[in-house]
Amino acid sequence: MRTLYLNQAALSAKATTVIRDTNNQSCYLLVGKWGLRADVLSVYTIAGALEAEVKQESLGLLPKFRLVYHRQTVGRVSKTFGVIREVLFVRGLNWIIMGNLSSGHFKITHGRDLIATIDQVSQSGGGTTTLAVDQPDHEALVICLAAILDRWAKHQHKALAPLRSHAWAPATGDIAQFTKK
């Protein structure tokens, strides 16, 4: 399995993100933006060839994305509600993504075959996402999926922040007593 590294700070800044390998060689560029319908993130090789794209198809609580590989739609992914762990299905590729948005650890499988793992590594200079991918043909698609998961993780923390700051607490002070008549 080949290991690639993605800088989370650059990914969040809507800037061009360089994906590097274990030898610190630049392999791919992740370019684009999203947040609006029809926005696109594109993965290019360092030579400038378009490898893959992720296109946002819908907004809202459960947004939908289309995965395009070599200019052909190969799959769709949408967010679903999970109880303990997040489980996402990549329709078209028949990939299952299992993991946790809070910890940033994911496994992508096809049946019993492991396609890739995505892990967030904390460093003093910022976060790095590690991608371990089984085949070179899957690398660009896994980069797209890592970008989607990173975005959902960031939005999950922002959405839960107001709920945490206004947590329910029992009332203090005078409480009216009920009496029998």
Side-chain angles (χ1 to χ4, degrees):
M1 291 186 98
R2 182 174 175 192
T3 304
L4 301 172
Y5 299 95
L6 174 67
N7 185 345
Q8 286 179 325
L11 184 61
S12 299
K14 297 182 183 176
T16 300
T17 305
V18 178
I19 292 91
R20 301 180 184 276
D21 63 6
T22 53
N23 298 323
N24 206 22
Q25 296 293 318
S26 300
C27 299
Y28 297 99
L29 294 174
L30 182 63
V31 181
K33 69 177 185 84
W34 54 19
L36 300 175
R37 194 164 180 238
D39 280 352
V40 177
L41 274 179
S42 303
V43 177
Y44 293 92
T45 62
I46 290 299
L50 179 64
E51 283 288 307
E53 293 178 314
V54 57
K55 297 181 179 185
Q56 188 163 357
E57 292 186 328
S58 68
L59 300 171
L61 205 55
L62 302 173
K64 294 179 183 174
F65 297 91
R66 183 172 33 151
L67 292 171
V68 178
Y69 185 70
H70 292 288
R71 303 192 190 278
Q72 292 188 354
T73 300
V74 294
R76 296 182 194 286
V77 62
S78 61
K79 191 172 184 182
T80 56
F81 290 112
V83 178
I84 299 171
R85 296 166 49 151
E86 285 81 8
V87 177
L88 302 170
F89 300 100
V90 182
R91 289 166 184 81
L93 294 174
N94 295 328
W95 289 1
I96 298 173
I97 305 171
M98 293 183 67
N100 189 324
L101 287 174
S102 300
S103 67
H105 300 292
F106 296 94
K107 286 185 179 183
I108 302 172
T109 59
H110 177 79
R112 292 186 178 180
D113 299 329
L114 181 65
I115 302 294
T117 60
I118 301 172
D119 293 308
Q120 290 182 1
V121 180
S122 298
Q123 295 177 346
S124 59
T128 302
T129 301
T130 304
L131 312 172
V133 187
D134 67 340
Q135 297 178 24
D137 290 343
H138 294 155
E139 290 177 351
L141 292 172
V142 172
I143 291 168
C144 290
L145 292 172
I148 292 171
L149 294 170
D150 181 72
R151 177 172 170 77
W152 283 340
K154 298 265 181 346
H155 278 47
Q156 176 185 6
H157 293 304
K158 286 181 186 176
L160 293 178
L163 296 176
R164 288 187 186 122
S165 64
H166 299 295
W168 180 83
T172 56
D174 296 332
I175 298 176
Q177 299 292 324
F178 292 104
T179 58
K180 290 185 180 181
K181 291 185 178 181

